[in-house]
Amino acid sequence: MKRLLCCLTLCCGIFAAAMPASGQAMMAAKPKAPASPPAAAVSVIGNKSFWIAYSSPGVKGRAGKIFTADGLIKTAGGSQYPIWRTGANSATTLIVDGKVKIGDITVPSGAYTLFADISDQNNWTLIISKKTGQWGLSYDPADDLGKTKFTMSAPSSMVENLKWEITDKGNGMGAITLSWENHTATVDVDTH
């Protein structure tokens, strides 16, 4: 019994002595942040709720090389250029809780996936797909609810991380905006 207690005491002592070193190593090894962290835009326009869930990639020193004919979007592995997933990773999701009009598209209450046709880097088209839950690169035109033109502009300064915004303009009107790098694309929303 004495021998067992001595062994246990010795083992516990070794374990306790090693613990601070391994704890320090664990503290030094911080978890790596995702390259394109999850993000969301949420708002109410009129009496309708809007929610966009997406992953937000960064420019990361590639300014001027994202949307060009030989840029990141076209050369990304598995890309369906000129159709872009409007984010990274899983498909960008739009959820509305009532019938609305987004640009020229009548959108019933429900969940949708957002894509963009960026074949002309200065004139984009928003694509609203009825299919949801897919990886962002899985686009099939047979699933389109509709397409509508974005109004394009340049941001006041380069937008490092992709950002979706939903803006209430009052009286049941609003806008959905996508900004990244040196592009801003906006589409009007009508909740009447």
CSV table of all heavy atoms in Angstrom, one decimal, residues 157-179:
chain,number,residue,atom,x,y,z
A,157,SER,N,-13.8,54.7,-49.8
A,157,SER,CA,-12.5,54.2,-49.6
A,157,SER,C,-12.6,52.6,-49.8
A,157,SER,O,-13.7,52.1,-49.8
A,157,SER,CB,-11.9,54.5,-48.3
A,157,SER,OG,-12.8,54.0,-47.3
A,158,MET,N,-11.5,52.0,-50.0
A,158,MET,CA,-11.5,50.6,-50.3
A,158,MET,C,-12.2,49.8,-49.1
A,158,MET,O,-11.9,50.1,-48.0
A,158,MET,CB,-10.1,50.1,-50.5
A,158,MET,CG,-10.0,48.8,-51.2
A,158,MET,SD,-9.5,47.3,-50.3
A,158,MET,CE,-8.4,47.7,-49.1
A,159,VAL,N,-13.0,48.9,-49.4
A,159,VAL,CA,-13.7,48.1,-48.4
A,159,VAL,C,-12.9,46.8,-48.2
A,159,VAL,O,-13.0,45.9,-49.1
A,159,VAL,CB,-15.2,47.8,-48.8
A,159,VAL,CG1,-15.9,46.9,-47.8
A,159,VAL,CG2,-15.9,49.1,-49.1
A,160,GLU,N,-12.3,46.6,-47.1
A,160,GLU,CA,-11.4,45.5,-46.9
A,160,GLU,C,-12.2,44.2,-46.7
A,160,GLU,O,-11.9,43.2,-47.4
A,160,GLU,CB,-10.5,45.7,-45.6
A,160,GLU,CG,-9.7,44.5,-45.2
A,160,GLU,CD,-8.6,44.1,-46.2
A,160,GLU,OE1,-8.1,45.0,-46.9
A,160,GLU,OE2,-8.3,42.9,-46.3
A,161,ASN,N,-13.2,44.2,-45.9
A,161,ASN,CA,-14.0,43.0,-45.7
A,161,ASN,C,-15.4,43.1,-46.3
A,161,ASN,O,-16.1,44.1,-46.1
A,161,ASN,CB,-14.2,42.7,-44.2
A,161,ASN,CG,-12.8,42.3,-43.6
A,161,ASN,OD1,-12.1,43.1,-43.1
A,161,ASN,ND2,-12.5,41.0,-43.7
A,162,LEU,N,-15.8,42.1,-47.1
A,162,LEU,CA,-17.1,42.1,-47.8
A,162,LEU,C,-18.2,42.4,-46.8
A,162,LEU,O,-18.1,41.8,-45.6
A,162,LEU,CB,-17.3,40.7,-48.4
A,162,LEU,CG,-18.6,40.6,-49.2
A,162,LEU,CD1,-18.4,39.8,-50.5
A,162,LEU,CD2,-19.7,40.0,-48.4
A,163,LYS,N,-19.1,43.2,-47.2
A,163,LYS,CA,-20.2,43.6,-46.2
A,163,LYS,C,-21.5,43.7,-46.9
A,163,LYS,O,-21.6,44.4,-48.0
A,163,LYS,CB,-19.8,44.9,-45.6
A,163,LYS,CG,-20.8,45.4,-44.5
A,163,LYS,CD,-20.3,46.7,-43.9
A,163,LYS,CE,-21.2,47.0,-42.7
A,163,LYS,NZ,-20.8,48.2,-42.0
A,164,TRP,N,-22.5,43.1,-46.4
A,164,TRP,CA,-23.9,43.3,-46.8
A,164,TRP,C,-24.6,44.2,-45.8
A,164,TRP,O,-24.3,44.1,-44.6
A,164,TRP,CB,-24.7,41.9,-46.8
A,164,TRP,CG,-24.5,41.0,-47.9
A,164,TRP,CD1,-23.6,40.0,-48.0
A,164,TRP,CD2,-25.1,41.1,-49.2
A,164,TRP,NE1,-23.7,39.4,-49.3
A,164,TRP,CE2,-24.6,40.0,-50.0
A,164,TRP,CE3,-26.1,41.9,-49.7
A,164,TRP,CZ2,-25.1,39.8,-51.3
A,164,TRP,CZ3,-26.6,41.7,-51.0
A,164,TRP,CH2,-26.0,40.6,-51.8
A,165,GLU,N,-25.4,45.1,-46.3
A,165,GLU,CA,-26.2,46.0,-45.4
A,165,GLU,C,-27.6,46.1,-45.9
A,165,GLU,O,-27.9,46.0,-47.1
A,165,GLU,CB,-25.6,47.4,-45.5
A,165,GLU,CG,-24.2,47.5,-44.9
A,165,GLU,CD,-23.5,48.9,-45.1
A,165,GLU,OE1,-23.1,49.2,-46.2
A,165,GLU,OE2,-23.5,49.6,-44.0
A,166,ILE,N,-28.5,46.2,-45.0
A,166,ILE,CA,-29.9,46.4,-45.2
A,166,ILE,C,-30.3,47.7,-44.6
A,166,ILE,O,-30.2,47.9,-43.4
A,166,ILE,CB,-30.8,45.3,-44.7
A,166,ILE,CG1,-30.2,43.9,-45.2
A,166,ILE,CG2,-32.2,45.4,-45.0
A,166,ILE,CD1,-30.7,42.7,-44.4
A,167,THR,N,-30.9,48.7,-45.4
A,167,THR,CA,-31.1,50.0,-45.0
A,167,THR,C,-32.6,50.3,-45.1
A,167,THR,O,-33.2,50.1,-46.2
A,167,THR,CB,-30.4,51.0,-45.8
A,167,THR,OG1,-29.0,50.7,-45.8
A,167,THR,CG2,-30.5,52.4,-45.3
A,168,ASP,N,-33.2,50.8,-44.0
A,168,ASP,CA,-34.6,51.3,-44.0
A,168,ASP,C,-34.6,52.7,-44.4
A,168,ASP,O,-34.0,53.6,-43.7
A,168,ASP,CB,-35.2,51.1,-42.6
A,168,ASP,CG,-36.7,51.5,-42.6
A,168,ASP,OD1,-37.3,51.9,-43.6
A,168,ASP,OD2,-37.3,51.4,-41.5
A,169,LYS,N,-35.3,53.1,-45.5
A,169,LYS,CA,-35.4,54.4,-46.0
A,169,LYS,C,-36.7,55.1,-45.6
A,169,LYS,O,-36.9,56.3,-45.9
A,169,LYS,CB,-35.3,54.5,-47.5
A,169,LYS,CG,-33.9,54.1,-48.0
A,169,LYS,CD,-33.8,54.2,-49.5
A,169,LYS,CE,-32.5,53.9,-50.1
A,169,LYS,NZ,-32.4,54.0,-51.5
A,170,GLY,N,-37.5,54.4,-44.9
A,170,GLY,CA,-38.8,54.9,-44.4
A,170,GLY,C,-40.0,54.6,-45.4
A,170,GLY,O,-39.7,54.3,-46.6
A,171,ASN,N,-41.2,54.7,-44.9
A,171,ASN,CA,-42.4,54.5,-45.7
A,171,ASN,C,-42.4,53.2,-46.5
A,171,ASN,O,-42.8,53.1,-47.6
A,171,ASN,CB,-42.6,55.7,-46.7
A,171,ASN,CG,-42.8,57.0,-46.0
A,171,ASN,OD1,-43.5,57.0,-45.0
A,171,ASN,ND2,-42.2,58.0,-46.5
A,172,GLY,N,-41.8,52.1,-45.8
A,172,GLY,CA,-41.9,50.8,-46.5
A,172,GLY,C,-40.8,50.6,-47.6
A,172,GLY,O,-40.8,49.6,-48.2
A,173,MET,N,-39.9,51.6,-47.7
A,173,MET,CA,-38.9,51.5,-48.8
A,173,MET,C,-37.5,51.3,-48.1
A,173,MET,O,-37.3,51.7,-47.0
A,173,MET,CB,-38.9,52.7,-49.6
A,173,MET,CG,-40.2,53.1,-50.3
A,173,MET,SD,-40.8,51.8,-51.4
A,173,MET,CE,-39.7,52.0,-52.7
A,174,GLY,N,-36.6,50.6,-48.9
A,174,GLY,CA,-35.3,50.4,-48.3
A,174,GLY,C,-34.3,50.0,-49.4
A,174,GLY,O,-34.6,50.1,-50.6
A,175,ALA,N,-33.2,49.5,-49.0
A,175,ALA,CA,-32.2,49.1,-50.0
A,175,ALA,C,-31.3,48.0,-49.3
A,175,ALA,O,-31.2,47.9,-48.1
A,175,ALA,CB,-31.3,50.3,-50.3
A,176,ILE,N,-30.8,47.1,-50.2
A,176,ILE,CA,-29.9,46.1,-49.8
A,176,ILE,C,-28.6,46.4,-50.6
A,176,ILE,O,-28.6,46.6,-51.8
A,176,ILE,CB,-30.4,44.7,-50.2
A,176,ILE,CG1,-31.6,44.3,-49.4
A,176,ILE,CG2,-29.3,43.6,-50.0
A,176,ILE,CD1,-32.3,43.0,-49.8
A,177,THR,N,-27.4,46.5,-49.9
A,177,THR,CA,-26.2,46.9,-50.4
A,177,THR,C,-25.1,45.9,-50.2
A,177,THR,O,-25.0,45.4,-49.0
A,177,THR,CB,-25.7,48.2,-49.9
A,177,THR,OG1,-26.8,49.2,-50.2
A,177,THR,CG2,-24.4,48.7,-50.5
A,178,LEU,N,-24.3,45.6,-51.2
A,178,LEU,CA,-23.2,44.7,-51.1
A,178,LEU,C,-21.9,45.5,-51.4
A,178,LEU,O,-21.9,46.1,-52.5
A,178,LEU,CB,-23.3,43.5,-52.1
A,178,LEU,CG,-22.1,42.6,-52.3
A,178,LEU,CD1,-21.6,42.0,-51.0
A,178,LEU,CD2,-22.4,41.6,-53.4
A,179,SER,N,-20.9,45.6,-50.5
A,179,SER,CA,-19.7,46.3,-50.8
A,179,SER,C,-18.5,45.4,-50.5
A,179,SER,O,-18.4,44.7,-49.5
A,179,SER,CB,-19.6,47.5,-49.8
A,179,SER,OG,-20.7,48.4,-50.0
